[in-house]
Amino acid sequence: MSDASPPFLPFALPEIGDDEIAEVVDTLRSGWVTTGPKARRFEADFAAFLGDPGLHCVAVNSATAGLHLALEALGIAPGDEVITTTHTFTATAEVVRYLGADVKLVDVDPATLNIDPAAVEAAITPRTKALIPVHYAGLAADMPALLAVARRHGLKVVEDAAHALPTTCGGALVGTLASDATVFSFYANKTITTGEGGMLVTRDAALAKRAQVMRLHGMNRDAFDRFTAKVPSWYYEIVAPGFKYNLTDIAAALGLHQLKKAHAFRERRAAIAARYDAAFADLPVLRPPQPRAGDLHAWHLYVLRLADGAPCTRDELVERLFAAGIGCSVHYIPLHLHPYWRERYALTPAMFPHSQHAYERMLSLPIYTRMDDADVERVAAAVRTALG
Ligand SMILES: *Cc1c(COP(=O)(O)O)cnc(C)c1O
């Protein structure tokens, strides 16, 4: 490699500013480093961000934890089935197995790669209790159709909104829709980050209360209450064998400032997506779907699909981009291809033709706020060189 070769451009990088750093330092100096006032404030700020006074926000240490808590609070148990998309990260489905219930994977709408409402309805059995849609890449799933299916069959709905901050569906922010719970992720590569973290959002006060208790060992009061309220500071009751899913104040300190930037971050990601769209208009590719008019796409991912007749395969394109110093990824290796899911449920690619077809042709390009216009042009030029 010559000295002139540009530095490696990673697939994803968080944008952590001076405000976040100062808030973390303040937390460290405060002496309160686990769940406390900043986690509380982050929950209140998150509810204000969603702008709906009927919502309860429960901060947790990952979206995986939040999904687990939501399903636990809804009573999902052995013998139950929960339907979700094969085209997701394993966390969406593994939480169902934590509770001893079974996962029914279904195929996606080939245009959006979001879960197909007709496939959901066809997969329902008398054992089906719940549905977990994923807002893939940051584009809202077809929630009106999915909520209608759920209502017709008495299913609970927990949205996996790990990609969807901020995303709107019919003008309403994901998190404020008519599902039972919505779970956001603040993992390092998500649209806002706390390093590790998540938020469970629900209108159901009983669900929120159960999640609050179960996120900290099944204690009927959390640590902050114990040290500030009037009841004896040492007193608590264990009402269930709970989990250790609380968000630390160190992490929440990051979230307080990341949340303030969420809309600006989304705008930058949307601008990068628009540049890519323009650069790839004449290539043998399928560009990502656009949101409906007036709706917001969070643009967590920019997923390009090679058209039939493209001059190279997906694997070759990924190799060429890496050779040009550009990181990229694939979202996702569908669950039906992973040994655990494939073997447990005897799954074959033919059962999921749309997800499989997309998987074989797709790659995710870098899309994050720390990319400048020159970075974006560099990625676009490398893709054009490989496919032009
Ligand atoms: C990242 C991700 C998760 C898990 O989020 P964590 O906060 O890392 O637990 C779940 N579902 C999807 C679709 C994701 O992309």
Side-chain angles (χ1 to χ4, degrees):
M1 217 185 266
S2 77
D3 290 346
S5 65
F8 185 76
L9 183 77
F11 172 67
L13 274 180
E15 179 164 336
I16 307 291
D18 291 340
D19 293 343
E20 284 88 334
I21 292 167
E23 194 75 47
V24 169
V25 170
D26 177 73
T27 308
L28 297 174
R29 293 197 199 286
S30 78
W32 200 294
V33 293
T34 186
T35 305
K38 291 194 182 176
R40 287 285 175 89
R41 183 144 47 97
F42 186 37
E43 291 174 337
D45 286 4
F46 207 86
F49 179 91
L50 293 176
D52 184 330
L55 294 174
H56 306 270
C57 294
V58 181
V60 287
N61 60 10
S62 72
T64 308
L67 291 165
H68 184 196
L69 291 176
L71 295 178
E72 196 276 340
L74 290 169
I76 300 303
D80 296 342
E81 286 173 357
V82 177
I83 297 174
T84 193
T85 167
T86 190
H87 211 90
T88 188
F89 184 58
T90 195
T92 313
E94 76 192 23
V95 293
V96 174
R97 298 290 304 129
Y98 292 0
L99 294 162
D102 277 304
V103 177
K104 260 295 204 26
L105 296 176
V106 302
D107 206 359
V108 291
D109 173 340
T112 62
L113 306 185
N114 272 321
I115 193 167
D116 175 3
V120 170
E121 191 145 38
I124 293 171
T125 75
R127 291 169 57 199
T128 309
K129 292 288 159 52
L131 162 63
I132 311 177
V134 177
H135 303 292
Y136 177 76
L139 179 71
D142 185 353
M143 290 306 293
L146 293 166
L147 289 166
V149 170
R151 262 194 299 274
R152 271 202 294 284
H153 297 273
L155 308 184
K156 303 294 187 187
V157 179
V158 175
E159 293 168 72
D160 179 339
H163 301 182
L165 189 74
T167 290
T168 63
C169 181
L173 280 169
V174 166
T176 68
L177 308 178
S179 56
D180 294 278
T182 304
V183 180
F184 296 90
S185 174
F186 313 128
Y187 180 67
N189 69 3
K190 298 290 162 59
T191 55
I192 75 167
T193 186
T194 61
E196 300 278 0
M199 191 71 75
L200 187 168
V201 178
T202 181
R203 291 177 196 291
D204 179 339
L207 193 159
K209 182 69 209 168
R210 176 72 179 179
Q212 282 161 356
V213 166
M214 293 305 281
R215 81 176 154 184
L216 198 68
H217 303 297
M219 275 185 198
N220 70 343
R221 322 188 50 186
D222 72 23
F224 186 54
D225 276 342
R226 278 195 289 128
F227 291 101
T228 59
K230 281 196 235 62
V231 295
S233 63
W234 49 265
Y235 189 75
Y236 61 85
E237 290 177 354
I238 297 300
V239 297
F243 308 104
K244 189 67 201 295
Y245 283 168
N246 54 303
L247 186 74
T248 69
D249 269 23
I250 299 171
L254 293 167
L256 290 171
H257 295 278
Q258 290 275 295
L259 186 61
K260 289 181 192 160
K261 302 171 184 173
H263 283 293
F265 282 175
R266 194 207 69 83
E267 279 164 27
R268 176 61 189 150
R269 287 172 180 271
I272 294 170
R275 273 181 180 261
Y276 282 155
D277 282 345
F280 305 148
D282 57 351
L283 295 184
V285 294
L286 191 58
R287 292 172 293 165
Q290 294 296 319
R292 298 237 302 267
D295 267 328
L296 298 180
H297 187 320
W299 291 109
H300 167 56
L301 300 174
Y302 185 93
V303 177
L304 205 56
R305 285 186 263 174
L306 296 185
D308 294 334
C312 67
T313 66
R314 182 272 312 282
D315 291 1
E316 287 163 354
L317 180 54
V318 170
E319 267 174 42
R320 288 180 202 183
L321 291 175
F322 269 94
I326 293 164
C328 45
S329 191
V330 173
H331 295 90
Y332 290 92
I333 305 166
L335 297 186
H336 65 260
L337 294 180
H338 289 286
Y340 173 75
W341 298 110
R342 185 183 69 216
E343 288 163 20
R344 178 167 178 90
Y345 296 115
L347 306 176
T348 66
M351 296 172 174
F352 309 94
H354 299 310
S355 171
Q356 183 70 28
H357 185 274
Y359 162 64
E360 289 168 4
R361 292 160 177 79
M362 71 183 355
L363 78 166
S364 304
L365 298 180
I367 181 166
Y368 50 95
T369 58
R370 281 174 64 185
M371 294 175 75
D372 62 21
D373 289 347
D375 294 327
V376 179
E377 293 311 323
R378 187 179 149 205
V379 176
V383 171
R384 291 186 60 82
T385 301
L387 296 179

